[in-house]
Amino acid sequence: MHIIFRGRNAAFAALVLGMLMASLDTSVVVAVLPSIGADLGDPGSVGGVTAAYLLAVAVATPVHGSLGDRWGRRRMFVGSVTTFAVGSVGCALAPDLAVLIGFRAVQGLGGGGLIVAAVAAMAELFDRDELVRRQGWLTAVFAVSSIGGAPLGGLLAAVAGWWSIFLINLPICVVSLFLGARSVPGTRPAGRIRFDWAGAVLVAVAGGCVVMLGSGGSGEAPVLVAVALVATVAFVQVERRATAPLVPPRLFADAGLARSVAVTFLTGVALFGSFTYVPLALGDARPVATGLLLLPMSVGQVLATTGFAVLARRWPKVTAWGRFGLVLGVAGLLATAALPLLDPARVVGVVGLACSGAALGLSMQAYTLLAQSWAPKDILGAGMATLTFARQIGGCLGITVFGLLTLPAVFLAAAAAMVVAVVIAPRGADERASA
């Protein structure tokens, strides 16, 4: 029986459960942000609950990717699940918003590892054809986290309190550890592990400044922007010279991979950044109602991922699928911008939310699959971490910048970012050259 729990299917199940937790913990929180702000007495700062998680994921992903390449996916996966569980308990018991934001960062440190372990280990376990087939199984993850996340968060907040949304992670953590402790690819013989401490510190400084921009006063903004820019420039220089860089410069020697990372950053800005402000555009503070109104976005995401899993095997040009997802994002965000101006039926807004959800699911899967195929195998974890890092830091930047805009302008600016992504997205020539 123990062989079953050490096979590829057991590893896949453990990795998918890890992704489920990381994904669910974003969508389940969004619907209850107004309740958290009201209960903890600081509604104006609830954006930090989402931003802290995204920032911690952004900082953690390069670390997890780099160490996973040298130390093995299994150790990093087990450590990530444990960290995520500790952060979940801390969030549930948080007495004020500051403590909650702190433990959300702890959750993010674990969540970053869960995402990187999944995309990197699955690329080691399966070839490209099998990865496409497995998208059908991943649809269940998106269905539970996307369709179920927002309504579940609203329902739990209304029945048991917002703290209960964090405790639902604990049973999933137990099952994931049971399956993954033996089955996820194990330790690699790597001798002495070298780590890019300077790069990690600079990432934390730059990312921290981005988050503080969203919550600090206008007088602090010039200093924060300056520090973030200096840290970013220094990070680029450090990575060029580092023996074991967090973001290896040779990842960008492949034009298709470089374009995929850039597009992923822009979709993070546009979709993750604007997603936090959708409940405000819907104009209903009740958590259950907010969760139900977010349902079209979740349904669109699941339909898109299901269609990709089925159709990509017949039409395997993944670059075209990615660009189609980006175009859907432009249309969806433009329609969502009209939400505050529409009558109660909000037909256009519902279509816009569905298109935005479809764009999120389709673009994430397409560009992850392309990066899994194009990244050099010896730094596969670093490549997958770079992709995730680009998405999450883009989300942090989007939340910060969009917080300075009025609601219609938020979604119009997000649509503009998606237009840029369409222009620079990888083309068929990139796919053939990297094949």
Side-chain angles (χ1 to χ4, degrees):
M1 192 68 165
H2 68 283
I3 296 177
I4 296 176
F5 293 112
R6 298 183 66 176
R8 293 195 305 168
N9 287 335
F12 180 72
L15 295 167
V16 165
L17 285 173
M19 290 190 70
L20 171 64
M21 288 188 291
S23 176
L24 185 65
D25 219 63
T26 299
S27 60
V28 80
V29 168
V30 170
V32 299
L33 286 178
S35 297
I36 291 175
D39 189 39
L40 298 182
D42 194 359
S45 301
V46 290
V49 175
T50 302
Y53 182 81
L54 292 175
L55 171 63
V57 170
V59 173
T61 46
V63 175
H64 283 287
S66 179
L67 291 180
D69 286 335
R70 296 167 176 79
W71 204 12
R73 311 293 172 206
R74 185 184 304 167
R75 288 183 178 180
M76 301 309 297
F77 177 77
V78 170
S80 298
V81 174
T82 304
T83 302
F84 193 86
V86 171
S88 297
V89 173
C91 288
L93 301 177
D96 54 50
L97 193 62
V99 173
L100 175 62
I101 291 175
F103 276 107
R104 280 286 284 171
V106 174
Q107 273 192 311
L109 295 177
L114 295 175
I115 297 171
V116 173
V119 294
M122 284 195 285
E124 292 180 351
L125 290 166
F126 309 110
D127 58 25
R128 176 163 171 166
D129 290 340
E130 182 67 8
L131 281 172
V132 172
R133 191 183 73 81
R134 295 272 169 167
Q135 299 295 339
W137 293 91
L138 289 178
T139 302
V141 173
F142 287 106
V144 172
S145 63
S146 299
I147 289 183
L152 177 63
L155 180 62
L156 288 175
V159 174
W162 58 263
W163 51 269
S164 61
I165 67 175
F166 299 107
L167 294 183
I168 63 174
N169 294 320
L170 300 184
I172 305 175
C173 287
V174 172
V175 175
S176 184
L177 275 176
F178 176 73
L179 292 174
R182 287 184 165 185
S183 62
V184 172
T187 303
R188 295 181 176 184
R192 182 172 178 268
I193 296 176
R194 294 170 296 181
F195 183 68
D196 182 12
W197 289 105
V201 170
L202 290 169
V203 166
V205 170
C209 289
V210 171
V211 172
M212 290 172 64
L213 277 169
S215 58
S218 58
E220 302 170 352
V223 175
L224 293 173
V225 170
V227 173
L229 290 175
V230 170
T232 300
V233 172
F235 176 74
V236 172
Q237 297 301 319
V238 166
E239 297 307 280
R240 288 178 175 174
R241 302 189 186 96
T243 305
L246 292 181
V247 181
R250 64 189 176 100
L251 285 172
F252 302 98
D254 185 298
L257 183 56
R259 287 172 177 264
S260 296
V261 172
V263 168
T264 298
F265 169 77
L266 289 170
T267 56
V269 172
L271 297 175
F272 280 99
S274 64
F275 183 61
T276 300
Y277 300 97
V278 170
L280 300 177
L282 293 171
D284 197 325
R286 294 171 299 172
V288 174
T290 300
L292 292 175
L293 288 169
L294 288 171
L295 208 56
M297 179 180 287
S298 304
V299 172
Q301 183 178 348
V302 173
L303 290 177
T305 54
T306 303
F308 177 78
V310 173
L311 299 175
R313 282 176 282 173
R314 185 171 180 179
W315 292 286
K317 195 172 181 181
V318 182
T319 50
W321 283 104
R323 293 177 68 197
F324 175 60
L326 299 177
V327 172
L328 278 178
V330 174
L333 288 166
L334 288 175
T336 305
L339 266 175
L341 309 176
L342 296 174
D343 59 31
R346 297 175 176 174
V347 176
V348 176
V350 168
V351 173
L353 290 174
C355 289
S356 295
L360 178 61
L362 189 54
S363 62
M364 283 181 63
Q365 293 201 55
Y367 292 111
T368 297
L369 181 59
L370 288 172
Q372 286 171 328
S373 302
W374 293 344
K377 299 305 178 184
D378 62 321
I379 52 171
L380 179 62
M384 296 303 98
T386 300
L387 194 76
T388 305
F389 172 80
R391 181 184 301 118
Q392 300 297 342
I393 202 66
C396 288
L397 182 62
I399 290 171
T400 300
V401 173
F402 295 157
L404 305 176
L405 306 176
T406 58
L407 280 179
V410 166
F411 301 107
L412 292 174
M418 292 295 283
V419 169
V420 176
V422 173
V423 173
I424 68 173
R427 303 298 199 268
D430 295 315
E431 193 165 359
R432 289 191 297 271
S434 301

